[in-house]
């Protein structure tokens, strides 16, 4: 979605950054500004200021700063478009969408209306469940047994679904509404179309998105019935592979405690919050996905996965490892905590105390060590065969890591365990990659026959040359000069018969040369890589998106469209993107980039493509910084902050230029 800059300026003029920030941070008046504890890092004395005159926030402790849109992006984990829409809704403004077709605009409006309608139904159902909890002794007794107070129960919106088949009929007069089924609240029997409540006689856990909207439920039984946990189905507003239970409630604690604790169940999250670990979240009955990890890294730079120490816990941890590896940059911390098989986090804390659990978390297994353990599983490192198997197991895991210090250190550690040097190991891995790569991606083998020289005229002594044909050459590449007075009628070059010599230029018809291909621009290559591997967007910063969205008039709309698709639905394949592009203004450019030229449809190892994309993006950022320097330079006379911005952009451009020169 392309949002005009004029609309953004009008939007920022209508909202009050003090009001927006004040909903998340307790602010106190201090002179001309407002002061509070920074929500982006833990601190005891306030260094976070909000300026009503400049409509700007700034933390002198961690350096975070920006306007109301930037605050929602940084604190609430929203994308740029999502933050703009959120503020526009609060002001009663309609976000202009001039760059999309009327049909697409109508489709988006319908989707938004449906999502709001479904969320309203779920909120209403949640309120009903909360009311029923007050009169459900069995549910209250269960919560007391788990040590959950009424305050924590209210904070998470816990409720109770009555045992009857049609409990929601008293909440929704139109119980036969199709939207109740679409929201996952009601099930319709395929046999007789009979309708009944999905959740019955269960403790209910509302699932909220990062904006606090109810998008689904989890229900837990009180005994040994199966399934123990029942989740809402996939709906237009609920996708369990992208959402984390408790993330909305844990946002502030994630900043304060400095890390996220990922557990396996709803009750773990609630119980940990009761016991002082309000930074806990849980996956929704599914394996941890890259989307889960990426969402957590919007709020913190450290994640600890907590699993049971049994086989199932180890398997779940391995899936989490696969999801986390592509996002394990040098500035992030990822650890794996394995509790004794007889304990979950709740029982461990109750038996050993919060300090013991905190120490256990601090001593959790780092990602680097867990990667080695996963690769070494079942391998006898005392034997050459075991070391070889370990090195082979480590290759696909190691290749998922983004390039950096951690990746290079791990290469050295793996090589040492395999009793090789790093260069030998990378050579062996490269050979293994070549053997297992699809045939279409392999480089063509060098021909075994001798290449024929290309002469401008036949040799003067050709008549005395003996007849010869190189026996090892393929038939189409055989060179068979005939003793025929210089007549080369029998010679073939690359499968084409060579014409006899005549006068200069008489029989030689050079091939028609088409126009020289247009050089591939940085923007072309970045767009192609993103359309082929949209998951690369998960590693992009807000500044990366901003640089692409402002790069040039031809490519910027395409990059903004891709960002909107990613924000709405996550990574998609090119086949799906091609369908969504129909009617979009950027369709022609995208189709041209993906269907023409020698570099369309980029191929290669995913790690190399990711590295290539980062390098291309860095070059675009350098141009972006230079452009911002120029803008700041023009504004120095009228804007007091322009000089500081000019120096910042200049320093960042120079640092990035050094990185580019050292990696190219």
């Amino acid at each position: 979605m392309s949002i005009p800059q004029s609309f953004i300026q009008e939007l920022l003029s209508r909202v009050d950054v003090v009001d927006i920030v004040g909903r998340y941070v307790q602010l106190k008046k201090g002179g001309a500004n407002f002061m509070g504890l920074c929500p982006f890092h833990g601190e005891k004395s306030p260094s976070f200021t909000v300026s009503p005159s400049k409509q700007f926030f700034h933390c002198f402790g961690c350096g975070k700063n920006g306007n109301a849109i930037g605050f929602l992006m940084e604190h609430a984990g929203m994308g740029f478009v999502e933050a703009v829409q959120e503020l526009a809704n609060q002001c009663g403004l309609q976000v202009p969408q001039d760059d999309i077709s009327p049909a697409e605009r109508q489709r988006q409006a319908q989707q938004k209306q449906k999502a709001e309608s479904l969320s309203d139904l779920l909120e209403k159902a949640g309120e009903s469940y909360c009311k029923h909890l007050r009169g459900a002794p069995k549910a209250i007794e269960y919560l007391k047994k788990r040590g959950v107070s009424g305050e924590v129960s209210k904070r998470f919106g816990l409720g109770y679904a009555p045992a009857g088949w049609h409990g929601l009929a008293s909440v929704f007069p139109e119980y036969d509404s199709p939207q109740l089924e679409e929201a996952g609240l009601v099930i319709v029997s395929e046999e007789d179309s009979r309708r009944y409540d999905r959740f019955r006689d269960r403790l209910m856990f509302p699932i909220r998105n990062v904006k606090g909207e109810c998008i689904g439920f989890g229900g837990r039984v009180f005994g040994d019935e199966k399934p123990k946990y029942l989740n809402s189905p996939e709906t237009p507003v609920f996708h369990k592979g992208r959402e984390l239970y408790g993330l909305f409630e844990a946002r502030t604690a994630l900043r304060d405690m400095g890390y996220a604790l990922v557990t396996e169940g709803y009750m773990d999250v609630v119980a940990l919050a009761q016991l002082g670990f309000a930074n806990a979240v849980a996956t929704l009955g599914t394996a941890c996905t890259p989307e889960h990890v990426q969402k957590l890294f919007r709020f913190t730079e450290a994640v600890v996965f907590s699993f049971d120490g049994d086989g199932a816990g180890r398997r779940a941890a391995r899936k989490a490892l696969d999801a986390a590896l592509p996002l394990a940059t040098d500035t992030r911390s990822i650890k794996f905590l394995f509790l004794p098989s007889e304990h979950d986090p709740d029982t461990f804390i109750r038996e050993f105390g919060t300090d013991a659990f905190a120490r256990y978390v601090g001593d959790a297994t780092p990602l680097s060590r867990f990667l080695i353990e996963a690769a070494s599983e079942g391998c006898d490192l005392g034997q050459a065969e075991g070391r070889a198997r370990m090195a082979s197991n480590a290759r696909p895991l190691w290749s998922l890591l983004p390039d950096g210090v951690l990746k290079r250190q791990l290469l050295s550690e793996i090589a040492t365990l395999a009793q090789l040097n790093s260069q030998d190991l990378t050579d062996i891995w490269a050979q293994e990659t070549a053997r297992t790569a699809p045939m279409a991606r392999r480089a063509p083998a060098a021909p075994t026959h001798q290449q024929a020289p290309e002469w401008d005229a036949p040799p003067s002594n050709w008549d005395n040359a003996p007849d010869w044909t190189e026996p090892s050459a393929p038939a189409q590449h055989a060179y068979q000069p005939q003793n025929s007075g210089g007549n080369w009628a029998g010679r073939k070059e690359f499968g084409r018969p060579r014409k006899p010599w005549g006068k200069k230029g008489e029989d030689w018809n050079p091939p028609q040369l088409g126009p020289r291909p247009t050089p591939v621009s940085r923007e072309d290559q970045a767009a192609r890589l993103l359309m082929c591997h949209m998951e690369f967007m998960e590693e992009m910063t807000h500044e990366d998106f901003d640089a692409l969205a402002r790069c040039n008039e031809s490519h910027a709309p395409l990059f903004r469209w891709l960002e909107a698709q990613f924000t709405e639905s996550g990574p998609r394949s090119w086949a799906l993107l091609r369908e969504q592009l129909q009617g979009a203004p950027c369709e022609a450019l995208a189709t041209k980039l993906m269907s023409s030229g020698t570099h369309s449809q980029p191929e290669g190892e995913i790690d190399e493509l990711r590295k290539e994309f980062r390098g291309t993006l860095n070059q675009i950022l350098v141009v972006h910084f230079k452009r911002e320097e120029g803008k700041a330079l023009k504004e120095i006379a009228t804007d007091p902050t322009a000089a500081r911005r000019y120096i910042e952009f200049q320093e960042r451009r120079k640092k990035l230029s050094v990185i580019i020169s050292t990696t190219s």
Side-chain angles (χ1 to χ4, degrees), residues 441 525 528-529 532-533 594 599-604 609 612:
R441 294 188 180 184
Q525 191 62 0
R528 285 169 172 166
L529 286 164
C532 282
H533 298 281
M594 296 298 285
H599 296 282
S600 62
Q601 305 281 344
E603 294 185 350
L609 292 178
E612 178 183 351

Side-chain angles (χ1 to χ4, degrees), residues 434-594:
R435 286 196 304 269
T436 57
M439 291 299 295
R441 294 188 180 184
R442 297 187 188 177
T448 57
H449 60 271
Q450 180 181 350
Q451 297 293 327
E454 293 187 6
W455 294 311
D456 292 331
S460 57
N461 61 344
W462 188 259
D463 289 342
N464 298 323
D467 292 345
W468 59 274
T469 302
E470 183 174 324
S472 62
Q476 68 270 26
H477 291 290
Y479 300 94
Q480 300 179 353
Q482 305 296 320
N483 188 6
S484 53
N487 183 353
W488 278 34
R491 177 186 174 193
K492 289 187 177 182
E493 181 179 11
F494 301 106
R496 290 189 299 107
R498 181 71 175 263
K499 288 186 176 183
W501 252 275
K503 294 181 180 179
K504 184 176 181 181
E506 181 179 4
D507 294 321
W508 183 62
N509 297 316
Q512 295 294 321
L513 298 177
R516 294 183 64 183
T518 304
V520 178
S521 69
R522 302 184 187 103
E523 291 78 11
D524 285 346
Q525 191 62 0
R528 285 169 172 166
L529 286 164
L530 283 180
M531 287 187 284
C532 282
H533 298 281
M534 205 174 180
E535 66 272 16
F536 290 173
M537 282 191 169
E538 295 168 346
E539 302 165 29
M540 291 173 57
T541 65
H542 299 309
E543 193 164 53
D544 293 336
F545 282 115
D546 190 44
L548 292 180
R550 301 185 187 187
C551 59
N552 57 45
E553 293 182 1
S554 60
H555 290 74
L558 175 58
F559 288 126
R560 289 194 290 265
W561 183 86
L562 286 170
E563 181 188 1
Q565 295 298 313
F566 174 74
T567 302
E568 178 183 343
S569 305
R572 296 181 181 180
S573 66
W574 164 240
L576 290 176
L577 288 175
R578 185 168 48 195
E579 295 297 322
Q580 294 294 325
L581 273 165
Q582 294 183 10
C586 53
E587 178 184 8
L589 174 61
T591 305
K592 177 183 176 183
L593 291 176
M594 296 298 285

